[in-house]
Amino acid sequence: MSNQNEYMNFALEQAKMVRGQTSPNPTVGAVIVNEGEVVGVGAHLRAGEAHAEIHALQMAGERAEGSTLYVTLEPCQHRGRTEPCTTAIIQAQVKHVVIAMLDPNPEMQGKSVEVLERSGITVDVGVLEEEARRMNRPYIHWMKTKKPYVTLKMAGSLDGKTATSQGESKWITSPASRSDGHAERKQHDAILVGVNTVIQDNPALTSRDPYVQPIRIVLDRHLRIPRSSKLLTDVYPTIIYTEKTSVFETTKEVVTLTKVTPEYVLEDLGKRNITSLLVEGGATIHGAFFTDRVVQRTITYLAPKLIGGAGAHGFIAGCGALQLDEALDVQYECIEHIDQDLKITAIVGEDDVYRNR
């Protein structure tokens, strides 16, 4: 590795390995290079624990002196649950700091660059910035809007059907696609469904990893959720949003809102420091999020099947776009094969992590 892009890419790879673990903090990786040799690497593992720069500095030890630090996000300057990283960088006598992107946190936004430069450290900003911003889409969106970044997950046949006209749906996509869907859950703070999904399928909505589990969210205006459902009887956290004020005996959290709509729910989730939300509801829930224009990304698994039928269930219900100019445009980000299925990841509208930097 002989240039800034290669070292920064190495730092990005450190960060990618711990995606889904750091919320509400961003995902960050760091690499320290001295005389052409990597002497320290690190990643921020969990909120409240040491940041990536600190792990890398500890590994580098005395070889941090006179080195170049590559970090995917501007080092912190403010004091939170940990000491400012800029202080440790200065004390270690790092000579040069290369930053992929500035922190959108209002307490930061370039302040650490000023501190480092006043201490005689040279600083470069913007190396592989797009890659770094892409990796931290949820954090950036949450910082801008105070609401979680929403991904709509859909799975069905090539012609967009999630079940036959008789309601049969298990299983359209392959085991490999379903396993990949569980892995996607690990990348999100929370996963959301409607009460009808709970009543019909009694899902666990887990990632299959006991150490990394999303918070389960149920939209249930009239508190119809069965008391015996897995979401109420297992050990993992669940939040139920309702418009009812009656007493509901459960160990899970029940939140009463004036209206159980995507906007109201997202506002409350944002206050809870939930930065990313995976919506796995049925067509009705998908339609509500589509109508309110609060989806930032979609993940669609398409099986090589044609179900057809006017009465077969589709991905998104509701009125939909009445005119083509009302349709939501998407940008295909990734198309890949999973077994015999296709997985299509798309950004809805203009990617807001690149707007108003």
Side-chain angles (χ1 to χ4, degrees):
M1 292 182 291
S2 59
N3 58 51
Q4 289 188 337
N5 282 8
E6 289 180 285
Y7 289 124
M8 186 61 75
N9 190 62
F10 189 22
L12 287 166
E13 291 301 319
Q14 307 309 305
K16 289 176 183 176
M17 289 189 290
V18 294
R19 282 183 297 187
Q21 295 183 191
T22 62
S23 184
N25 288 358
T27 303
V28 183
V31 172
I32 296 176
V33 180
N34 197 328
E35 296 182 350
E37 181 181 349
V38 174
V39 296
V41 297
H44 180 42
L45 302 180
R46 292 189 183 278
E49 297 183 5
H51 290 182
E53 302 94 316
I54 303 303
H55 286 300
L57 287 169
Q58 290 173 343
M59 181 181 291
E62 294 181 354
R63 296 205 64 184
E65 182 177 350
S67 68
T68 297
L69 165 66
Y70 295 84
V71 62
T72 60
L73 183 77
E74 175 184 3
C76 68
Q77 166 58 24
H78 62 285
R79 186 182 305 272
R81 284 186 279 181
T82 59
E83 294 292 317
C85 288
T86 51
T87 301
I89 293 168
I90 294 168
Q91 291 176 344
Q93 299 183 58
V94 171
K95 180 181 179 181
H96 185 198
V97 175
V98 182
I99 300 168
M101 61 170 285
L102 297 180
D103 193 334
N105 187 335
E107 296 186 34
M108 295 295 301
Q109 296 182 331
K111 293 180 181 177
S112 67
V113 175
E114 299 173 7
V115 171
L116 294 172
E117 289 179 335
R118 283 201 302 267
S119 300
I121 298 173
T122 59
V123 180
D124 291 330
V125 178
V127 176
L128 298 188
E129 180 179 6
E130 289 196 6
E131 290 83 348
R133 295 182 73 86
R134 191 177 301 120
M135 184 173 61
N136 272 309
R137 278 190 181 113
Y139 173 73
I140 296 169
H141 180 83
W142 180 66
M143 274 293 168
K144 286 184 175 183
T145 68
K146 296 306 176 186
K147 296 176 184 177
Y149 186 90
V150 176
T151 296
L152 201 70
K153 185 190 130 186
M154 301 172 284
S157 63
L158 185 60
D159 56 336
K161 305 298 185 181
T162 61
T164 68
S165 58
Q166 299 298 311
E168 184 182 357
S169 62
K170 291 183 171 50
W171 294 102
I172 297 175
T173 55
S174 68
S177 287
R178 298 196 295 276
S179 178
D180 188 78
H182 292 144
E184 285 289 346
R185 291 175 179 177
K186 291 176 61 176
Q187 308 298 324
H188 293 79
D189 297 344
I191 177 173
L192 182 148
V193 297
V195 68
N196 286 335
T197 296
V198 180
I199 293 171
Q200 294 167 12
D201 300 335
N202 191 22
L205 299 181
T206 62
S207 68
R208 306 300 192 263
D209 181 342
Y211 301 105
V212 183
Q213 291 293 341
I215 299 172
R216 287 86 56 90
I217 311 296
V218 181
L219 304 192
D220 185 5
R221 294 175 57 197
H222 304 294
L223 278 180
R224 296 187 296 122
I225 186 170
R227 299 335 190 240
S228 60
S229 65
K230 295 174 183 176
L231 298 182
L232 296 185
T233 57
D234 67 13
V235 298
Y236 300 117
T238 300
I239 302 174
I240 303 167
Y241 285 99
T242 184
E243 295 174 9
K244 299 280 283 186
T245 57
S246 57
V247 175
F248 183 82
E249 293 185 5
T250 178
T251 58
K252 309 302 183 181
E253 185 173 4
V254 179
V255 178
T256 300
L257 298 177
T258 305
K259 292 182 179 180
V260 177
T261 65
E263 281 288 356
Y264 278 80
V265 170
L266 292 175
E267 183 177 347
D268 187 74
L269 292 176
K271 293 176 181 177
R272 296 169 182 269
N273 292 341
I274 291 176
T275 65
S276 59
L277 176 67
L278 185 66
V279 177
E280 285 195 21
T284 300
I285 293 295
H286 290 171
F289 276 79
F290 173 86
T291 299
D292 284 2
R293 299 296 199 261
V294 290
V295 177
Q296 282 73 53
R297 186 175 68 142
T298 62
I299 295 175
T300 307
Y301 298 91
L302 294 177
K305 294 180 175 71
L306 295 173
I307 293 175
H313 301 270
F315 289 142
I316 301 175
C319 294
L322 301 181
Q323 304 292 332
L324 281 179
D325 60 5
E326 297 174 357
L328 288 176
D329 292 326
V330 302
Q331 306 169 42
Y332 291 132
E333 182 176 44
C334 182
I335 301 175
E336 56 190 306
H337 276 284
I338 298 183
D339 198 1
Q340 296 301 308
D341 300 339
L342 284 178
K343 178 185 180 183
I344 303 173
T345 304
I347 303 302
V348 179
E350 182 182 352
D351 194 343
D352 68 356
V353 304
Y354 301 115
R355 191 186 303 126
N356 299 324
R357 292 185 182 179

